[in-house]
PDB file of all heavy atoms in Angstrom:
ATOM      1  N   PHE A 263    -105.733  98.456  41.186  1.00  0.00           N
ATOM      2  CA  PHE A 263    -104.533  99.129  40.692  1.00  0.00           C
ATOM      3  C   PHE A 263    -104.157 100.373  41.516  1.00  0.00           C
ATOM      4  O   PHE A 263    -103.946 101.451  40.991  1.00  0.00           O
ATOM      5  CB  PHE A 263    -104.674  99.447  39.195  1.00  0.00           C
ATOM      6  CG  PHE A 263    -104.932  98.200  38.390  1.00  0.00           C
ATOM      7  CD1 PHE A 263    -106.219  97.877  37.970  1.00  0.00           C
ATOM      8  CD2 PHE A 263    -103.903  97.312  38.106  1.00  0.00           C
ATOM      9  CE1 PHE A 263    -106.474  96.702  37.284  1.00  0.00           C
ATOM     10  CE2 PHE A 263    -104.146  96.130  37.402  1.00  0.00           C
ATOM     11  CZ  PHE A 263    -105.434  95.833  36.987  1.00  0.00           C
ATOM     12  N   GLY A 264    -104.101 100.158  42.847  1.00  0.00           N
ATOM     13  CA  GLY A 264    -103.429 101.119  43.713  1.00  0.00           C
ATOM     14  C   GLY A 264    -104.271 102.175  44.385  1.00  0.00           C
ATOM     15  O   GLY A 264    -103.736 102.966  45.163  1.00  0.00           O
ATOM     16  N   ARG A 265    -105.550 102.201  44.151  1.00  0.00           N
ATOM     17  CA  ARG A 265    -106.377 103.295  44.682  1.00  0.00           C
ATOM     18  C   ARG A 265    -106.361 103.366  46.209  1.00  0.00           C
ATOM     19  O   ARG A 265    -106.436 104.456  46.789  1.00  0.00           O
ATOM     20  CB  ARG A 265    -107.803 103.126  44.138  1.00  0.00           C
ATOM     21  CG  ARG A 265    -108.808 104.193  44.489  1.00  0.00           C
ATOM     22  CD  ARG A 265    -108.407 105.606  44.226  1.00  0.00           C
ATOM     23  NE  ARG A 265    -107.888 105.902  42.906  1.00  0.00           N
ATOM     24  CZ  ARG A 265    -107.280 107.039  42.599  1.00  0.00           C
ATOM     25  NH1 ARG A 265    -107.076 107.972  43.532  1.00  0.00           N
ATOM     26  NH2 ARG A 265    -106.828 107.253  41.388  1.00  0.00           N
ATOM     27  N   LEU A 266    -106.247 102.210  46.874  1.00  0.00           N
ATOM     28  CA  LEU A 266    -106.269 102.197  48.343  1.00  0.00           C
ATOM     29  C   LEU A 266    -104.886 102.021  48.967  1.00  0.00           C
ATOM     30  O   LEU A 266    -104.766 101.860  50.172  1.00  0.00           O
ATOM     31  CB  LEU A 266    -107.214 101.095  48.856  1.00  0.00           C
ATOM     32  CG  LEU A 266    -108.673 101.200  48.416  1.00  0.00           C
ATOM     33  CD1 LEU A 266    -109.507 100.108  49.080  1.00  0.00           C
ATOM     34  CD2 LEU A 266    -109.261 102.581  48.716  1.00  0.00           C
ATOM     35  N   GLY A 267    -103.836 102.034  48.140  1.00  0.00           N
ATOM     36  CA  GLY A 267    -102.485 101.910  48.684  1.00  0.00           C
ATOM     37  C   GLY A 267    -101.956 100.491  48.684  1.00  0.00           C
ATOM     38  O   GLY A 267    -100.872 100.219  49.208  1.00  0.00           O
ATOM     39  N   LYS A 268    -102.712  99.580  48.116  1.00  0.00           N
ATOM     40  CA  LYS A 268    -102.289  98.210  47.829  1.00  0.00           C
ATOM     41  C   LYS A 268    -102.710  97.928  46.395  1.00  0.00           C
ATOM     42  O   LYS A 268    -103.566  98.640  45.851  1.00  0.00           O
ATOM     43  CB  LYS A 268    -102.956  97.213  48.780  1.00  0.00           C
ATOM     44  CG  LYS A 268    -102.483  97.296  50.237  1.00  0.00           C
ATOM     45  CD  LYS A 268    -101.127  96.625  50.417  1.00  0.00           C
ATOM     46  CE  LYS A 268    -100.646  96.671  51.864  1.00  0.00           C
ATOM     47  NZ  LYS A 268    -101.338  95.700  52.717  1.00  0.00           N
ATOM     48  N   PRO A 269    -102.141  96.889  45.753  1.00  0.00           N
ATOM     49  CA  PRO A 269    -102.542  96.639  44.366  1.00  0.00           C
ATOM     50  C   PRO A 269    -104.062  96.556  44.179  1.00  0.00           C
ATOM     51  O   PRO A 269    -104.613  97.120  43.238  1.00  0.00           O
ATOM     52  CB  PRO A 269    -101.855  95.305  44.049  1.00  0.00           C
ATOM     53  CG  PRO A 269    -100.617  95.332  44.897  1.00  0.00           C
ATOM     54  CD  PRO A 269    -101.040  96.002  46.173  1.00  0.00           C
ATOM     55  N   PHE A 270    -104.738  95.873  45.122  1.00  0.00           N
ATOM     56  CA  PHE A 270    -106.191  95.740  45.046  1.00  0.00           C
ATOM     57  C   PHE A 270    -106.792  95.900  46.440  1.00  0.00           C
ATOM     58  O   PHE A 270    -106.111  95.704  47.448  1.00  0.00           O
ATOM     59  CB  PHE A 270    -106.578  94.364  44.467  1.00  0.00           C
ATOM     60  CG  PHE A 270    -106.112  94.170  43.051  1.00  0.00           C
ATOM     61  CD1 PHE A 270    -104.867  93.614  42.795  1.00  0.00           C
ATOM     62  CD2 PHE A 270    -106.900  94.565  41.980  1.00  0.00           C
ATOM     63  CE1 PHE A 270    -104.413  93.445  41.484  1.00  0.00           C
ATOM     64  CE2 PHE A 270    -106.457  94.414  40.670  1.00  0.00           C
ATOM     65  CZ  PHE A 270    -105.218  93.855  40.425  1.00  0.00           C
ATOM     66  N   ALA A 271    -108.079  96.220  46.486  1.00  0.00           N
ATOM     67  CA  ALA A 271    -108.777  96.285  47.774  1.00  0.00           C
ATOM     68  C   ALA A 271    -108.750  94.926  48.462  1.00  0.00           C
ATOM     69  O   ALA A 271    -108.737  94.845  49.691  1.00  0.00           O
ATOM     70  CB  ALA A 271    -110.219  96.753  47.574  1.00  0.00           C
ATOM     71  N   THR A 272    -108.738  93.862  47.670  1.00  0.00           N
ATOM     72  CA  THR A 272    -108.594  92.511  48.233  1.00  0.00           C
ATOM     73  C   THR A 272    -107.369  92.446  49.140  1.00  0.00           C
ATOM     74  O   THR A 272    -107.415  91.880  50.242  1.00  0.00           O
ATOM     75  CB  THR A 272    -108.451  91.473  47.097  1.00  0.00           C
ATOM     76  OG1 THR A 272    -109.622  91.526  46.279  1.00  0.00           O
ATOM     77  CG2 THR A 272    -108.268  90.069  47.645  1.00  0.00           C
ATOM     78  N   ASP A 273    -106.264  93.041  48.704  1.00  0.00           N
ATOM     79  CA  ASP A 273    -105.025  93.057  49.494  1.00  0.00           C
ATOM     80  C   ASP A 273    -105.163  93.990  50.693  1.00  0.00           C
ATOM     81  O   ASP A 273    -104.672  93.701  51.786  1.00  0.00           O
ATOM     82  CB  ASP A 273    -103.852  93.508  48.625  1.00  0.00           C
ATOM     83  CG  ASP A 273    -103.747  92.705  47.340  1.00  0.00           C
ATOM     84  OD1 ASP A 273    -103.636  91.474  47.420  1.00  0.00           O
ATOM     85  OD2 ASP A 273    -103.798  93.303  46.251  1.00  0.00           O
ATOM     86  N   TYR A 274    -105.815  95.122  50.495  1.00  0.00           N
ATOM     87  CA  TYR A 274    -105.979  96.115  51.560  1.00  0.00           C
ATOM     88  C   TYR A 274    -106.764  95.523  52.730  1.00  0.00           C
ATOM     89  O   TYR A 274    -106.393  95.681  53.898  1.00  0.00           O
ATOM     90  CB  TYR A 274    -106.687  97.351  51.003  1.00  0.00           C
ATOM     91  CG  TYR A 274    -106.860  98.478  51.993  1.00  0.00           C
ATOM     92  CD1 TYR A 274    -105.900  99.477  52.128  1.00  0.00           C
ATOM     93  CD2 TYR A 274    -107.991  98.550  52.805  1.00  0.00           C
ATOM     94  CE1 TYR A 274    -106.059 100.512  53.036  1.00  0.00           C
ATOM     95  CE2 TYR A 274    -108.157  99.581  53.710  1.00  0.00           C
ATOM     96  CZ  TYR A 274    -107.182 100.562  53.828  1.00  0.00           C
ATOM     97  OH  TYR A 274    -107.352 101.578  54.736  1.00  0.00           O
ATOM     98  N   PHE A 275    -107.871  94.831  52.394  1.00  0.00           N
ATOM     99  CA  PHE A 275    -108.747  94.315  53.449  1.00  0.00           C
ATOM    100  C   PHE A 275    -108.339  92.924  53.923  1.00  0.00           C
ATOM    101  O   PHE A 275    -108.747  92.496  55.004  1.00  0.00           O
ATOM    102  CB  PHE A 275    -110.202  94.283  52.962  1.00  0.00           C
ATOM    103  CG  PHE A 275    -110.795  95.650  52.779  1.00  0.00           C
ATOM    104  CD1 PHE A 275    -111.051  96.144  51.515  1.00  0.00           C
ATOM    105  CD2 PHE A 275    -111.087  96.449  53.868  1.00  0.00           C
ATOM    106  CE1 PHE A 275    -111.591  97.408  51.330  1.00  0.00           C
ATOM    107  CE2 PHE A 275    -111.626  97.713  53.707  1.00  0.00           C
ATOM    108  CZ  PHE A 275    -111.880  98.201  52.438  1.00  0.00           C
TER     109      PHE A 275
END
Side-chain angles (χ1 to χ4, degrees):
F263 302 100
R265 184 51 50 192
L266 301 184
K268 291 282 181 76
F270 296 90
T272 300
D273 308 303
Y274 183 91
F275 291 109

